[in-house]
Amino acid sequence: MTSKDFIIREIKPTDNKEVAKIIRSVILEMGAPKVGTAYEDKATDTMFENYQKEKSSYFVLEHNNTIVGGAGIAQLDNYDGNVCELQKMYFLPIARGKGLGSKLITICLEKAKELGFETCYLETLPYMKAAVKLYNKYGFKNLDKPMGNTCHYNCNVWMIKEIN
């Protein structure tokens, strides 16, 4: 199985339940806490609706008509400035290690540029090592403290990248 066996598309209303299930199952698989993470976000259950707001977009990764991951871009919450956040990027094991994370980040950053953002911020957890490695490879740099207020107080790795 290669990356050609997967498709990336924009989220649809019928995807909400499946996307929420993926986000929560990956959080538990990684041993992350349920509180202070996307696990408890109200938006996790209404992903399609949440990404209908201005300057935001969410993409799902599909394999054989089944959603196996996703990632989105939106204005950074509670922050004045032209900064977006790479949000809710989670993949089931079937989608990992195939270069799909890079493809999805590229699509999200292209969308962010199209929407006029200049900088992209993200938060993650230190034990999501593969994700941190991918973000570093992609040019994201570590920050000493969070930006804005995402309410994800258990996510203590903060990173930023200029969008060119």
Side-chain angles (χ1 to χ4, degrees):
M1 189 179 348
T2 68
S3 65
K4 290 181 178 76
D5 298 314
F6 296 83
I7 62 162
I8 296 171
R9 62 167 173 79
E10 290 202 39
I11 193 168
K12 298 187 285 202
T14 52
D15 297 334
N16 279 349
K17 199 176 217 172
E18 216 172 335
V19 171
K21 190 174 153 193
I22 289 166
I23 291 169
R24 291 191 173 107
S25 72
V26 173
I27 287 171
L28 294 179
E29 175 198 346
M30 297 291 164
K34 290 180 181 179
V35 296
T37 65
Y39 192 97
E40 70 174 356
D41 287 357
K42 285 186 180 92
T44 298
D45 292 307
T46 55
M47 293 290 285
F48 174 80
E49 292 78 5
N50 195 53
Y51 285 89
Q52 296 313 298
K53 61 186 182 241
E54 194 181 347
K55 292 181 81 170
S56 70
S57 205
Y58 194 85
F59 301 91
V60 296
L61 181 63
E62 218 179 69
H63 178 259
N64 291 339
N65 299 315
T66 301
I67 298 170
V68 294
I73 208 91
Q75 175 71 41
L76 176 59
D77 283 341
N78 303 303
Y79 187 80
D80 279 337
N82 201 12
V83 178
C84 66
E85 182 185 13
L86 180 64
Q87 300 177 332
K88 294 183 173 59
M89 185 164 164
Y90 294 96
F91 286 14
L92 292 178
I94 190 174
R96 297 178 195 155
K98 294 173 176 60
L100 295 162
S102 290
K103 281 188 178 182
L104 209 44
I105 290 172
T106 298
I107 288 169
C108 285
L109 291 177
E110 284 171 359
K111 185 67 171 181
K113 187 176 183 177
E114 181 186 309
L115 294 171
F117 290 111
E118 297 165 357
T119 310
C120 186
Y121 170 80
L122 67 84
E123 296 179 337
T124 190
L125 296 153
Y127 40 87
M128 292 189 167
K129 290 181 177 27
V132 172
K133 186 177 173 184
L134 175 63
Y135 301 141
N136 280 319
K137 182 178 148 193
Y138 225 84
F140 281 87
K141 304 288 181 221
N142 285 69
L143 293 170
D144 295 332
K145 60 183 196 252
M147 292 172 61
N149 182 2
T150 65
C151 297
H152 293 164
Y153 54 84
N154 270 316
C155 294
N156 57 1
V157 174
W158 314 286
M159 303 178 91
I160 195 150
K161 173 185 174 54
E162 296 299 314
I163 299 171
N164 328 5

